[in-house]
Amino acid sequence: MLSDRSVLVTGGSSGIGRELVRQYVAAGARVLTTARRESGLLETIEGLDAERAYIVPADLGSRTGRELITTEALRIAPIDVVVHAAGALGPKAKLADYPEDAWHEVFHINATAVHLLHQQLVPLLSPTATIIGVSSSVGRKGRGEWGMYAISKAALEGWLEVLADEWAGPVYSVNPGGTATPMRAEAMPDEDPATIPAPADIMPIFLRLARSNPDEASGTKFDARDYVGADPWALAPNGD
C-alpha cells in the first residue's frame, strides 16, 4: 500500500521508531532511518529488503549530524513522509529540582532539532509531503515530575500546529500513549510492560497517515491507542 512512498524516520534504533521502519518497509515504502547508535539501526533493518531500507548513524542534535542526514536523504528524495520519532526523556524530577543541563538537552532534541532538521529537509521534500510528529500524553496535558519531556512535547505540538498552517502538505501529531519501549521502561520501571500496547499494536494510524492523499485534515491530533486493532487501510477509531 506504500510502494510509491519514500519515508524518513528519525529515532529508528529502538522502540516506536524501529517498528515504524519495519512496518513501512513491509508495506512497500523506501525508508531511510537515523539514530546515533549504528548497532541499533543495523538491528532494525536486519532481514529487511536492502534496496528499501537505509540507515544513517548520526546525532540529530548536532549541525553535522543533521547535515549528514540531509545528504544521505538524497538517496530517497523526493521524500513523501517524515516521521519525527526521535526523542530524549531526561530525568523524572520536579521543576524546582530540574537540572539545567538536562533542561537544555531535552528541549534541544525534542523540539529545536526537529525544527532545524525540517528546515534542512525542505528542498528534498515532495511539495505535499506528510509530516508526522510523535507526541506524548504529557505533551497534551502536563503532568508533575515529567519536567522538560512534557514541556518539549507541548512545544512540539505547537510547532506542528504552526507548520500545519504553513505547509502545503498534511501535518499530524500522533500521541502513542503508554507503549512498551525502552524509554517507557526507563520512565516507569515498576510498570509491567505486558499491561500496555507493544509498538506493533499502535502502528495502524501511522501506516494510515503515510499513504498518498490522506483524507485526514492537516493539523489533526491523533491518539494511536484509539486505532489499536484497526485495519490501517480502512481505518476507523477502535476498529469500528
Side-chain angles (χ1 to χ4, degrees):
M1 297 298 292
L2 300 179
S3 60
D4 62 337
R5 308 293 271 169
S6 293
V7 182
L8 171 63
V9 177
T10 68
S13 61
S14 67
I16 293 170
R18 171 174 289 179
E19 191 62 31
L20 285 166
V21 173
R22 291 176 173 173
Q23 296 259 356
Y24 284 145
V25 171
R30 296 171 66 228
V31 182
L32 182 141
T33 187
T34 183
R36 287 181 294 180
R37 291 191 305 112
E38 183 176 16
S39 60
L41 292 171
L42 290 171
E43 291 174 3
T44 294
I45 65 168
E46 184 176 0
L48 300 182
D49 185 344
E51 294 184 356
R52 290 191 290 115
Y54 310 95
I55 65 171
V56 186
D59 181 2
L60 180 65
S62 72
R63 180 189 299 271
T64 300
R66 292 188 297 274
E67 289 175 349
L68 178 59
I69 293 166
T70 305
T71 299
E72 292 297 316
L74 286 166
R75 301 168 72 176
I76 63 167
I79 300 169
D80 301 300
V81 182
V82 179
V83 185
H84 295 285
L89 176 63
K92 294 285 291 296
K94 292 184 177 180
L95 291 177
D97 304 316
Y98 204 89
E100 183 178 351
D101 57 347
W103 179 274
H104 294 296
E105 179 182 2
V106 174
F107 190 84
H108 182 72
I109 294 298
N110 294 353
T112 303
V114 172
H115 169 66
L116 295 176
L117 179 62
H118 175 77
Q119 286 185 319
Q120 289 193 262
L121 289 174
V122 166
L124 305 183
L125 301 179
S126 63
T128 56
T130 297
I131 311 298
I132 302 172
V134 178
S135 185
S136 170
S137 299
V138 297
R140 302 266 175 92
K141 179 175 174 50
R143 192 178 308 160
E145 299 191 10
W146 283 84
M148 180 45 79
Y149 181 77
I151 295 165
S152 61
K153 288 296 185 177
L156 177 65
E157 292 272 353
W159 182 81
L160 291 165
E161 290 173 0
V162 173
L163 186 64
D165 204 43
E166 298 177 347
W167 187 247
V171 177
Y172 303 116
S173 166
V174 179
N175 168 29
T179 309
T181 66
M183 181 181 287
R184 178 73 178 189
E186 181 183 350
M188 308 285 286
D190 297 328
E191 182 177 62
D192 180 357
T195 64
I196 56 177
D201 297 327
I202 63 166
M203 288 295 112
I205 187 62
F206 287 101
L207 288 166
R208 174 74 174 186
L209 297 178
R211 75 201 192 286
S212 301
N213 302 313
D215 299 323
E216 293 76 12
S218 182
T220 302
K221 300 182 180 184
F222 295 91
D223 290 303
R225 281 193 174 195
D226 290 343
Y227 301 90
V228 171
D231 178 351
W233 316 120
L235 194 60
N238 300 314
D240 296 336

Short mmCIF file of all heavy atoms in Angstrom, two decimals, residues 156-213:
data_model
loop_
_atom_site.label_atom_id
_atom_site.label_comp_id
_atom_site.label_asym_id
_atom_site.label_seq_id
_atom_site.Cartn_x
_atom_site.Cartn_y
_atom_site.Cartn_z
N LEU A 156 6.52 20.76 20.81
CA LEU A 156 6.40 20.05 19.53
C LEU A 156 4.98 20.17 18.99
O LEU A 156 4.78 20.39 17.79
CB LEU A 156 6.79 18.59 19.71
CG LEU A 156 6.64 17.71 18.47
CD1 LEU A 156 7.61 18.13 17.36
CD2 LEU A 156 6.86 16.23 18.83
N GLU A 157 4.00 20.03 19.89
CA GLU A 157 2.60 20.19 19.47
C GLU A 157 2.39 21.58 18.87
O GLU A 157 1.74 21.74 17.83
CB GLU A 157 1.67 19.99 20.67
CG GLU A 157 1.62 18.58 21.21
CD GLU A 157 0.58 17.72 20.52
OE1 GLU A 157 -0.19 18.26 19.69
OE2 GLU A 157 0.55 16.51 20.78
N GLY A 158 2.93 22.60 19.51
CA GLY A 158 2.78 23.96 18.99
C GLY A 158 3.46 24.13 17.65
O GLY A 158 2.94 24.79 16.75
N TRP A 159 4.65 23.54 17.52
CA TRP A 159 5.38 23.61 16.24
C TRP A 159 4.56 22.97 15.12
O TRP A 159 4.45 23.51 14.01
CB TRP A 159 6.72 22.92 16.39
CG TRP A 159 7.58 22.97 15.17
CD1 TRP A 159 8.36 24.00 14.73
CD2 TRP A 159 7.75 21.92 14.20
NE1 TRP A 159 9.01 23.65 13.56
CE2 TRP A 159 8.66 22.38 13.22
CE3 TRP A 159 7.24 20.62 14.08
CZ2 TRP A 159 9.04 21.60 12.12
CZ3 TRP A 159 7.62 19.84 12.99
CH2 TRP A 159 8.51 20.33 12.04
N LEU A 160 3.97 21.82 15.42
CA LEU A 160 3.16 21.13 14.41
C LEU A 160 1.92 21.95 14.04
O LEU A 160 1.51 21.96 12.88
CB LEU A 160 2.75 19.75 14.93
CG LEU A 160 3.88 18.73 15.07
CD1 LEU A 160 3.44 17.54 15.92
CD2 LEU A 160 4.37 18.26 13.71
N GLU A 161 1.33 22.63 15.01
CA GLU A 161 0.17 23.47 14.72
C GLU A 161 0.53 24.61 13.76
O GLU A 161 -0.20 24.89 12.80
CB GLU A 161 -0.40 24.04 16.02
CG GLU A 161 -1.09 23.00 16.90
CD GLU A 161 -1.49 23.57 18.24
OE1 GLU A 161 -1.23 24.78 18.48
OE2 GLU A 161 -2.03 22.82 19.06
N VAL A 162 1.66 25.26 14.03
CA VAL A 162 2.11 26.35 13.16
C VAL A 162 2.45 25.81 11.77
O VAL A 162 2.08 26.39 10.74
CB VAL A 162 3.32 27.08 13.78
CG1 VAL A 162 3.88 28.10 12.79
CG2 VAL A 162 2.92 27.76 15.07
N LEU A 163 3.17 24.69 11.73
CA LEU A 163 3.55 24.10 10.45
C LEU A 163 2.32 23.71 9.65
O LEU A 163 2.28 23.90 8.42
CB LEU A 163 4.44 22.88 10.67
CG LEU A 163 5.04 22.26 9.41
CD1 LEU A 163 5.98 23.24 8.72
CD2 LEU A 163 5.77 20.96 9.74
N ALA A 164 1.31 23.19 10.31
CA ALA A 164 0.09 22.79 9.61
C ALA A 164 -0.58 23.98 8.93
O ALA A 164 -1.26 23.83 7.91
CB ALA A 164 -0.89 22.13 10.59
N ASP A 165 -0.39 25.17 9.50
CA ASP A 165 -0.99 26.37 8.92
C ASP A 165 -0.15 26.94 7.78
O ASP A 165 -0.62 27.78 7.01
CB ASP A 165 -1.15 27.43 10.01
CG ASP A 165 -2.23 28.44 9.69
OD1 ASP A 165 -3.32 28.03 9.22
OD2 ASP A 165 -2.00 29.64 9.90
N GLU A 166 1.10 26.46 7.66
CA GLU A 166 2.02 26.99 6.65
C GLU A 166 2.32 26.00 5.53
O GLU A 166 2.52 26.42 4.38
CB GLU A 166 3.35 27.36 7.31
CG GLU A 166 3.29 28.44 8.35
CD GLU A 166 4.63 28.71 9.00
OE1 GLU A 166 5.57 27.89 8.81
OE2 GLU A 166 4.76 29.73 9.69
N TRP A 167 2.37 24.74 5.85
CA TRP A 167 2.87 23.73 4.93
C TRP A 167 1.79 23.30 3.94
O TRP A 167 0.61 23.16 4.31
CB TRP A 167 3.38 22.53 5.73
CG TRP A 167 4.07 21.47 4.93
CD1 TRP A 167 3.64 20.20 4.71
CD2 TRP A 167 5.32 21.58 4.23
NE1 TRP A 167 4.54 19.51 3.92
CE2 TRP A 167 5.58 20.34 3.63
CE3 TRP A 167 6.25 22.63 4.07
CZ2 TRP A 167 6.72 20.12 2.86
CZ3 TRP A 167 7.39 22.40 3.32
CH2 TRP A 167 7.61 21.16 2.73
N ALA A 168 2.16 23.06 2.70
CA ALA A 168 1.18 22.69 1.67
C ALA A 168 0.64 21.29 1.87
O ALA A 168 -0.49 20.98 1.46
CB ALA A 168 1.82 22.81 0.29
N GLY A 169 1.44 20.42 2.48
CA GLY A 169 1.00 19.04 2.71
C GLY A 169 0.42 18.86 4.09
O GLY A 169 0.40 19.78 4.91
N PRO A 170 -0.05 17.65 4.39
CA PRO A 170 -0.65 17.38 5.70
C PRO A 170 0.38 17.28 6.81
O PRO A 170 1.48 16.77 6.61
CB PRO A 170 -1.37 16.05 5.49
CG PRO A 170 -0.68 15.40 4.35
CD PRO A 170 -0.17 16.51 3.47
N VAL A 171 0.01 17.77 7.98
CA VAL A 171 0.85 17.73 9.18
C VAL A 171 0.01 17.12 10.30
O VAL A 171 -1.13 17.56 10.52
CB VAL A 171 1.33 19.13 9.58
CG1 VAL A 171 2.15 19.09 10.86
CG2 VAL A 171 2.13 19.76 8.44
N TYR A 172 0.57 16.14 11.00
CA TYR A 172 -0.19 15.45 12.04
C TYR A 172 0.62 15.30 13.31
O TYR A 172 1.85 15.16 13.28
CB TYR A 172 -0.59 14.05 11.56
CG TYR A 172 -1.40 14.02 10.30
CD1 TYR A 172 -0.90 13.42 9.14
CD2 TYR A 172 -2.66 14.61 10.24
CE1 TYR A 172 -1.64 13.39 7.97
CE2 TYR A 172 -3.40 14.59 9.07
CZ TYR A 172 -2.89 13.97 7.94
OH TYR A 172 -3.61 13.95 6.78
N SER A 173 -0.07 15.26 14.43
CA SER A 173 0.50 14.88 15.71
C SER A 173 -0.12 13.55 16.12
O SER A 173 -1.34 13.39 16.07
CB SER A 173 0.17 15.95 16.77
OG SER A 173 0.43 15.45 18.07
N VAL A 174 0.74 12.60 16.51
CA VAL A 174 0.25 11.30 16.98
C VAL A 174 0.79 11.06 18.38
O VAL A 174 2.00 11.02 18.59
CB VAL A 174 0.67 10.15 16.05
CG1 VAL A 174 0.16 8.83 16.60
CG2 VAL A 174 0.15 10.37 14.63
N ASN A 175 -0.11 10.89 19.33
CA ASN A 175 0.25 10.54 20.69
C ASN A 175 0.19 9.02 20.83
O ASN A 175 -0.90 8.44 20.74
CB ASN A 175 -0.72 11.20 21.67
CG ASN A 175 -0.59 10.64 23.07
OD1 ASN A 175 0.48 10.19 23.49
ND2 ASN A 175 -1.69 10.65 23.82
N PRO A 176 1.33 8.35 21.04
CA PRO A 176 1.31 6.89 21.13
C PRO A 176 0.59 6.39 22.39
O PRO A 176 0.09 5.26 22.41
CB PRO A 176 2.79 6.50 21.18
CG PRO A 176 3.53 7.71 20.74
CD PRO A 176 2.69 8.89 21.12
N GLY A 177 0.56 7.20 23.44
CA GLY A 177 0.13 6.69 24.74
C GLY A 177 1.21 5.79 25.31
O GLY A 177 2.25 5.56 24.68
N GLY A 178 1.01 5.28 26.49
CA GLY A 178 1.98 4.39 27.10
C GLY A 178 2.23 3.17 26.23
O GLY A 178 1.31 2.44 25.91
N THR A 179 3.47 2.97 25.82
CA THR A 179 3.84 1.90 24.91
C THR A 179 5.08 1.20 25.45
O THR A 179 5.98 1.84 25.99
CB THR A 179 4.13 2.46 23.50
OG1 THR A 179 3.04 3.29 23.09
CG2 THR A 179 4.30 1.34 22.48
N ALA A 180 5.13 -0.11 25.28
CA ALA A 180 6.23 -0.90 25.85
C ALA A 180 7.51 -0.70 25.04
O ALA A 180 7.83 -1.47 24.13
CB ALA A 180 5.85 -2.38 25.88
N THR A 181 8.24 0.34 25.38
CA THR A 181 9.50 0.68 24.73
C THR A 181 10.59 0.82 25.79
O THR A 181 10.29 0.97 26.98
CB THR A 181 9.39 2.00 23.96
OG1 THR A 181 9.18 3.07 24.93
CG2 THR A 181 8.23 1.98 22.97
N PRO A 182 11.86 0.84 25.37
CA PRO A 182 12.93 1.08 26.35
C PRO A 182 12.78 2.41 27.08
O PRO A 182 13.06 2.50 28.28
CB PRO A 182 14.19 1.04 25.49
CG PRO A 182 13.84 0.13 24.35
CD PRO A 182 12.40 0.42 24.06
N MET A 183 12.35 3.47 26.38
CA MET A 183 12.16 4.75 27.04
C MET A 183 11.07 4.67 28.10
O MET A 183 11.22 5.22 29.20
CB MET A 183 11.83 5.84 26.03
CG MET A 183 11.66 7.22 26.66
SD MET A 183 11.22 8.53 25.51
CE MET A 183 12.77 8.76 24.66
N ARG A 184 9.98 4.00 27.79
CA ARG A 184 8.90 3.85 28.76
C ARG A 184 9.38 3.07 29.98
O ARG A 184 9.05 3.41 31.12
CB ARG A 184 7.71 3.13 28.11
CG ARG A 184 6.53 2.88 29.04
CD ARG A 184 5.77 4.14 29.35
NE ARG A 184 4.62 3.88 30.21
CZ ARG A 184 3.68 4.75 30.51
NH1 ARG A 184 3.76 5.98 30.02
NH2 ARG A 184 2.68 4.45 31.30
N ALA A 185 10.17 2.03 29.75
CA ALA A 185 10.71 1.24 30.86
C ALA A 185 11.61 2.08 31.76
O ALA A 185 11.62 1.92 32.98
CB ALA A 185 11.46 0.03 30.33
N GLU A 186 12.35 2.99 31.14
CA GLU A 186 13.21 3.89 31.92
C GLU A 186 12.37 4.86 32.74
O GLU A 186 12.70 5.15 33.90
CB GLU A 186 14.13 4.66 30.98
CG GLU A 186 15.08 5.62 31.68
CD GLU A 186 15.93 6.42 30.71
OE1 GLU A 186 15.94 6.09 29.51
OE2 GLU A 186 16.60 7.37 31.16
N ALA A 187 11.29 5.35 32.15
CA ALA A 187 10.45 6.33 32.84
C ALA A 187 9.58 5.68 33.91
O ALA A 187 9.29 6.30 34.94
CB ALA A 187 9.56 7.05 31.83
N MET A 188 9.14 4.45 33.66
CA MET A 188 8.20 3.76 34.56
C MET A 188 8.74 2.37 34.89
O MET A 188 8.21 1.35 34.44
CB MET A 188 6.83 3.65 33.88
CG MET A 188 6.27 4.96 33.35
SD MET A 188 5.65 6.05 34.64
CE MET A 188 4.14 5.22 35.08
N PRO A 189 9.81 2.29 35.67
CA PRO A 189 10.48 1.00 35.89
C PRO A 189 9.63 -0.03 36.63
O PRO A 189 9.90 -1.24 36.52
CB PRO A 189 11.71 1.38 36.72
CG PRO A 189 11.37 2.70 37.34
CD PRO A 189 10.50 3.39 36.36
N ASP A 190 8.61 0.39 37.35
CA ASP A 190 7.76 -0.56 38.10
C ASP A 190 6.56 -1.03 37.29
O ASP A 190 5.78 -1.86 37.77
CB ASP A 190 7.28 0.08 39.40
CG ASP A 190 8.43 0.42 40.33
OD1 ASP A 190 9.44 -0.32 40.32
OD2 ASP A 190 8.33 1.43 41.06
N GLU A 191 6.40 -0.54 36.08
CA GLU A 191 5.25 -0.90 35.25
C GLU A 191 5.48 -2.23 34.55
O GLU A 191 6.57 -2.49 34.03
CB GLU A 191 5.01 0.20 34.22
CG GLU A 191 3.82 -0.01 33.32
CD GLU A 191 3.62 1.15 32.37
OE1 GLU A 191 4.54 1.40 31.55
OE2 GLU A 191 2.60 1.83 32.46
N ASP A 192 4.47 -3.06 34.51
CA ASP A 192 4.53 -4.33 33.79
C ASP A 192 4.30 -4.05 32.30
O ASP A 192 3.20 -3.62 31.93
CB ASP A 192 3.48 -5.30 34.32
CG ASP A 192 3.49 -6.65 33.60
OD1 ASP A 192 4.30 -6.83 32.66
OD2 ASP A 192 2.69 -7.52 33.99
N PRO A 193 5.30 -4.26 31.44
CA PRO A 193 5.11 -3.93 30.01
C PRO A 193 4.01 -4.74 29.35
O PRO A 193 3.49 -4.32 28.30
CB PRO A 193 6.49 -4.23 29.40
CG PRO A 193 7.15 -5.15 30.36
CD PRO A 193 6.64 -4.78 31.72
N ALA A 194 3.64 -5.86 29.95
CA ALA A 194 2.57 -6.68 29.36
C ALA A 194 1.21 -6.01 29.50
O ALA A 194 0.25 -6.43 28.85
CB ALA A 194 2.55 -8.05 30.02
N THR A 195 1.12 -4.96 30.34
CA THR A 195 -0.16 -4.29 30.56
C THR A 195 -0.41 -3.13 29.60
O THR A 195 -1.46 -2.50 29.66
CB THR A 195 -0.25 -3.76 32.01
OG1 THR A 195 0.77 -2.76 32.21
CG2 THR A 195 -0.05 -4.90 33.01
N ILE A 196 0.56 -2.82 28.75
CA ILE A 196 0.41 -1.71 27.80
C ILE A 196 0.70 -2.21 26.39
O ILE A 196 1.34 -3.25 26.21
CB ILE A 196 1.34 -0.53 28.16
CG1 ILE A 196 2.80 -0.99 28.24
CG2 ILE A 196 0.89 0.11 29.47
CD1 ILE A 196 3.78 0.15 28.52
N PRO A 197 0.25 -1.49 25.37
CA PRO A 197 0.47 -1.94 24.00
C PRO A 197 1.95 -2.00 23.64
O PRO A 197 2.76 -1.22 24.13
CB PRO A 197 -0.25 -0.88 23.16
CG PRO A 197 -1.24 -0.26 24.07
CD PRO A 197 -0.61 -0.29 25.43
N ALA A 198 2.30 -2.95 22.78
CA ALA A 198 3.63 -3.01 22.17
C ALA A 198 3.68 -2.03 21.00
O ALA A 198 2.62 -1.62 20.48
CB ALA A 198 3.92 -4.42 21.69
N PRO A 199 4.88 -1.64 20.55
CA PRO A 199 4.95 -0.73 19.40
C PRO A 199 4.16 -1.21 18.18
O PRO A 199 3.52 -0.40 17.50
CB PRO A 199 6.45 -0.67 19.11
CG PRO A 199 7.08 -0.84 20.46
CD PRO A 199 6.21 -1.86 21.15
N ALA A 200 4.17 -2.50 17.92
CA ALA A 200 3.44 -3.02 16.75
C ALA A 200 1.94 -2.76 16.87
O ALA A 200 1.25 -2.59 15.85
CB ALA A 200 3.70 -4.51 16.59
N ASP A 201 1.42 -2.71 18.10
CA ASP A 201 -0.02 -2.54 18.30
C ASP A 201 -0.50 -1.16 17.89
O ASP A 201 -1.67 -0.99 17.52
CB ASP A 201 -0.37 -2.77 19.78
CG ASP A 201 -0.08 -4.18 20.25
OD1 ASP A 201 -0.21 -5.11 19.43
OD2 ASP A 201 0.27 -4.35 21.44
N ILE A 202 0.37 -0.15 17.95
CA ILE A 202 -0.07 1.23 17.70
C ILE A 202 0.25 1.70 16.28
O ILE A 202 0.09 2.87 15.97
CB ILE A 202 0.54 2.20 18.72
CG1 ILE A 202 2.07 2.24 18.58
CG2 ILE A 202 0.12 1.83 20.14
CD1 ILE A 202 2.71 3.40 19.32
N MET A 203 0.65 0.77 15.42
CA MET A 203 1.06 1.15 14.07
C MET A 203 -0.06 1.53 13.11
O MET A 203 0.18 2.27 12.15
CB MET A 203 1.90 0.03 13.45
CG MET A 203 3.30 -0.11 14.03
SD MET A 203 4.36 1.32 13.71
CE MET A 203 4.52 1.97 15.40
N PRO A 204 -1.31 1.06 13.29
CA PRO A 204 -2.31 1.36 12.25
C PRO A 204 -2.43 2.82 11.86
O PRO A 204 -2.49 3.15 10.68
CB PRO A 204 -3.61 0.81 12.87
CG PRO A 204 -3.15 -0.35 13.69
CD PRO A 204 -1.85 0.10 14.29
N ILE A 205 -2.46 3.74 12.83
CA ILE A 205 -2.64 5.15 12.47
C ILE A 205 -1.40 5.68 11.75
O ILE A 205 -1.51 6.49 10.82
CB ILE A 205 -2.98 6.01 13.71
CG1 ILE A 205 -3.34 7.42 13.30
CG2 ILE A 205 -1.84 6.01 14.72
CD1 ILE A 205 -4.56 7.54 12.41
N PHE A 206 -0.22 5.24 12.13
CA PHE A 206 1.00 5.69 11.45
C PHE A 206 1.03 5.19 10.00
O PHE A 206 1.48 5.91 9.10
CB PHE A 206 2.23 5.19 12.19
CG PHE A 206 2.51 5.88 13.49
CD1 PHE A 206 2.17 5.29 14.69
CD2 PHE A 206 3.10 7.13 13.51
CE1 PHE A 206 2.43 5.92 15.90
CE2 PHE A 206 3.37 7.78 14.72
CZ PHE A 206 3.02 7.16 15.92
N LEU A 207 0.58 3.99 9.77
CA LEU A 207 0.51 3.46 8.41
C LEU A 207 -0.53 4.23 7.60
O LEU A 207 -0.28 4.61 6.44
CB LEU A 207 0.17 1.97 8.44
CG LEU A 207 1.28 1.05 8.92
CD1 LEU A 207 0.72 -0.34 9.24
CD2 LEU A 207 2.39 0.93 7.88
N ARG A 208 -1.67 4.46 8.19
CA ARG A 208 -2.75 5.16 7.51
C ARG A 208 -2.32 6.56 7.04
O ARG A 208 -2.56 6.96 5.90
CB ARG A 208 -3.94 5.28 8.46
CG ARG A 208 -5.10 6.12 7.95
CD ARG A 208 -5.90 5.42 6.91
NE ARG A 208 -7.09 6.17 6.53
CZ ARG A 208 -8.01 5.71 5.70
NH1 ARG A 208 -7.89 4.51 5.18
NH2 ARG A 208 -9.06 6.44 5.39
N LEU A 209 -1.67 7.29 7.91
CA LEU A 209 -1.30 8.67 7.60
C LEU A 209 -0.18 8.77 6.58
O LEU A 209 0.01 9.83 5.98
CB LEU A 209 -0.91 9.40 8.88
CG LEU A 209 -2.00 9.55 9.94
CD1 LEU A 209 -1.45 10.25 11.17
CD2 LEU A 209 -3.21 10.28 9.39
N ALA A 210 0.55 7.68 6.35
CA ALA A 210 1.68 7.72 5.41
C ALA A 210 1.27 7.49 3.97
O ALA A 210 2.09 7.63 3.06
CB ALA A 210 2.72 6.67 5.82
N ARG A 211 0.02 7.15 3.72
CA ARG A 211 -0.38 6.85 2.35
C ARG A 211 -0.56 8.13 1.54
O ARG A 211 -0.60 9.22 2.10
CB ARG A 211 -1.68 6.04 2.34
CG ARG A 211 -2.92 6.84 2.64
CD ARG A 211 -4.07 5.96 3.11
NE ARG A 211 -5.33 6.70 3.12
CZ ARG A 211 -5.66 7.62 4.01
NH1 ARG A 211 -4.82 7.96 4.95
NH2 ARG A 211 -6.84 8.21 3.95
N SER A 212 -0.69 7.98 0.23
CA SER A 212 -0.90 9.13 -0.64
C SER A 212 -2.28 9.73 -0.41
O SER A 212 -3.25 9.02 -0.12
CB SER A 212 -0.78 8.71 -2.11
OG SER A 212 0.49 8.16 -2.37
N ASN A 213 -2.37 11.05 -0.50
CA ASN A 213 -3.64 11.77 -0.44
C ASN A 213 -4.50 11.34 0.75
O ASN A 213 -5.64 10.89 0.59
CB ASN A 213 -4.44 11.55 -1.74
CG ASN A 213 -3.67 11.99 -2.95
OD1 ASN A 213 -3.10 13.08 -2.97
ND2 ASN A 213 -3.64 11.15 -3.98
#
